[in-house]
Structure formats: C-alpha cells, structure tokens
Amino acid sequence: MENLPFSLQRVNERIETTCQAQGLVKPHLIAVSKTQPAHQIQTLFHAGQRDFGENYLQEAEEKIQALSSLQGICWHFIGPLQSNKAKAVANQFEWVHTIDRFKLAQKLNQHRGETNLGRLQVLIQVNIDGESSKSGVAPEDILPLAQKIIALPNLALRGLMAIPARRDKLNEQREPFAKVWSQFKQLQNQLPDTPLDTLSMGMSADLEAAILEGSTMVRIGTDLFGTRLQK
Ligand SMILES: *Cc1c(COP(=O)(O)O)cnc(C)c1O
C-alpha cells in the first residue's frame, strides 16, 4: 500500500493540472472512504483532506463515531439510500448526493428538523445514461423534483450528481458530463432564486473529463486509497 499523503498530493496535482490548462476553478475533492478503515481516513485528514464520502450507512456510522474528535471533518453520503435510514443519515451527515425521489427528501427534511444541525445539503442524482442498473432521475424529472425539494425548510438543494456509464476514452467520457452540465445550467435558469452551485461528478477513472465539463466536486476512492477490499 503506498503512502496516503502522497496519493492525496498526486490526485490534487491531477486536479490542478487539468484546471490550470483551461483556467478552470478547482473542484472540491471528496475522498471516497467506503471499505477503508478509520485510521486511513485519519491519516488523510492529517494530510489536509476534510471531505469524505461513504456509501454504506452501517459502516459509515462506526467510522463517524470513531473519528468524531476530528474538528472540521465533513461527511457526504453518496450511496443509494432507503427511506428507513433517512433519520440516521440526517443526524450524521452534512451532505447527501443521492436524492432520487421526493419521499426520501421529505424524510430527510423531517429528521433534520429534529436536530440543531442546520440545513442538510442535498444533490439530485441524475441517471444521465438512462441505465436501468443505476439510480437517479431522468433529466425531465429533475425540475419537478427540485421544485418540491426547495420548499422543504431543512434541506438546501445545491445541485446535481451523476455517475455515467463507464467509457474509456477522454472524449467519450466528456459527453455524458456535458449533458449533466447543461441540465445543471437549465435548472439554474429555471430556479433563479435558489443558489445552485454544485455539480458532483468525476471518479478515479474519469476525473479529468468531469472537470473539463464543469465539475465542482469530484469523488475519488481508488486513486487515493488503492483498490478496495471486497465488501
Ligand atoms: C465508489 C464511488 C466513488 C469512487 O470511485 P473510484 O472509482 O474508486 O474513485 C465515487 N462515487 C460513488 C457514488 C461511489 O460509489
């Protein structure tokens, strides 16, 4: 296993190089720590990383507990979420990237209202390639869902998230990200009173393509921590 601070530096350099070439603003880096033990997260935290993404609630809860003394650590829920887990997520996370139905948003809103944590930051997940295996709403369903979410007092809708189908070449990878970006711009125009500033897209294999198409948050696991152990 190579040295984590070094991997972090290398990923940050990839991000910087891509941005500099095009004069783009650097996206936030979310370190995707699913299947990784708490001590690895702690090591990255001490190397300066603050945002961490988790997919599985039970696993995440243990780590959030264990690392609760790290001031300023920010937890993002990035996996599919069942409504019956909304309370635990609303209590322990600052962000949820995977809102794909109103019922889930309502539950998160309700339970966030029972805390004194302020608004939960949320993104609508878009199924940009129309894959039956992936969650997320179809592009035409973004606006109706967004309109209902912005009426909820304990959620702050910040933008969109997407996980396109795997493609190998940079130019092919850019296409679905460009589509997500235009959905994002359209939504910003449709909801001028809502400050939508976040586009969560890009993983280890396609972070450059996502940045070139306007990503503001990249979610990186493998290229930081190495290959994941089997879940
Ligand atoms: C696992 C995961 C990632 C990180 O993927 P890598 O290819 O390991 O960088 C990003 N986003 C989501 C939603 C994930 O589930």
Side-chain angles (χ1 to χ4, degrees):
M1 178 70 230
E2 83 179 297
N3 170 306
L4 272 178
F6 179 70
S7 304
L8 177 62
Q9 191 187 334
R10 212 180 32 198
V11 167
N12 275 318
E13 280 167 8
R14 267 172 78 191
I15 293 172
E16 267 159 41
T17 307
T18 309
C19 291
Q20 270 168 10
Q22 308 289 325
L24 298 166
V25 177
K26 264 199 304 179
H28 291 277
L29 171 60
I30 314 300
V32 177
S33 45
K34 63 183 174 213
T35 81
Q36 307 297 340
H39 70 86
Q40 300 273 64
I41 297 172
Q42 189 163 7
T43 301
L44 272 191
F45 181 89
H46 290 306
Q49 178 63 27
R50 289 293 175 270
D51 292 278
F52 294 88
E54 289 282 340
N55 296 56
Y56 311 105
L57 178 63
Q58 202 183 343
E59 179 200 326
E61 282 183 305
E62 288 169 27
K63 292 186 257 183
I64 293 171
Q65 275 278 307
L67 299 171
S68 58
S69 65
L70 299 180
Q71 285 294 317
I73 195 165
C74 182
W75 295 100
H76 298 244
F77 194 86
I78 63 168
L81 181 54
Q82 295 163 271
S83 299
N84 63 2
K85 297 186 174 156
K87 180 172 185 179
V89 169
N91 278 298
Q92 296 173 90
F93 286 81
E94 265 320 292
W95 285 77
V96 176
H97 291 223
T98 46
I99 305 290
D100 59 358
R101 58 202 189 279
F102 186 56
K103 185 183 171 200
L104 175 59
Q106 273 179 310
K107 293 261 176 195
L108 289 167
N109 177 66
Q110 176 200 328
H111 294 297
R112 191 70 169 191
E114 296 157 6
T115 75
N116 57 6
L117 296 170
R119 286 176 186 242
L120 179 67
Q121 312 299 305
V122 301
L123 303 173
I124 293 176
Q125 183 174 355
V126 185
N127 189 347
I128 201 67
D129 287 311
E131 294 172 280
S132 56
S133 62
K134 287 219 180 100
S135 14
V137 302
E140 62 270 25
D141 297 329
I142 297 172
L143 180 62
L145 179 57
Q147 282 168 326
K148 288 193 271 182
I149 292 174
I150 61 176
L152 299 173
N154 306 310
L155 302 186
L157 179 64
R158 298 287 294 273
L160 303 177
M161 177 272 208
I163 312 170
R166 201 198 150 90
R167 292 164 175 83
D168 292 324
K169 296 207 181 74
L170 179 76
N171 281 341
E172 293 167 359
Q173 291 174 344
R174 288 180 67 163
E175 281 174 31
F177 290 133
K179 285 189 197 161
V180 182
W181 185 85
S182 51
Q183 292 297 327
F184 180 57
K185 287 289 141 187
Q186 193 177 322
L187 191 64
Q188 284 178 326
N189 290 331
Q190 288 161 329
L191 301 175
D193 298 327
T194 305
L196 300 170
D197 58 4
T198 303
L199 202 44
S200 167
M201 55 188 200
M203 311 188 355
S204 295
D206 56 17
L207 92 86
E208 283 84 1
I211 293 173
L212 292 171
E213 298 301 340
S215 171
T216 72
M217 255 185 201
V218 291
R219 309 176 311 268
I220 308 298
T222 308
D223 284 2
L224 285 172
F225 294 100
T227 311
R228 277 182 288 280
L229 305 168
Q230 213 50 42
K231 173 68 187 164

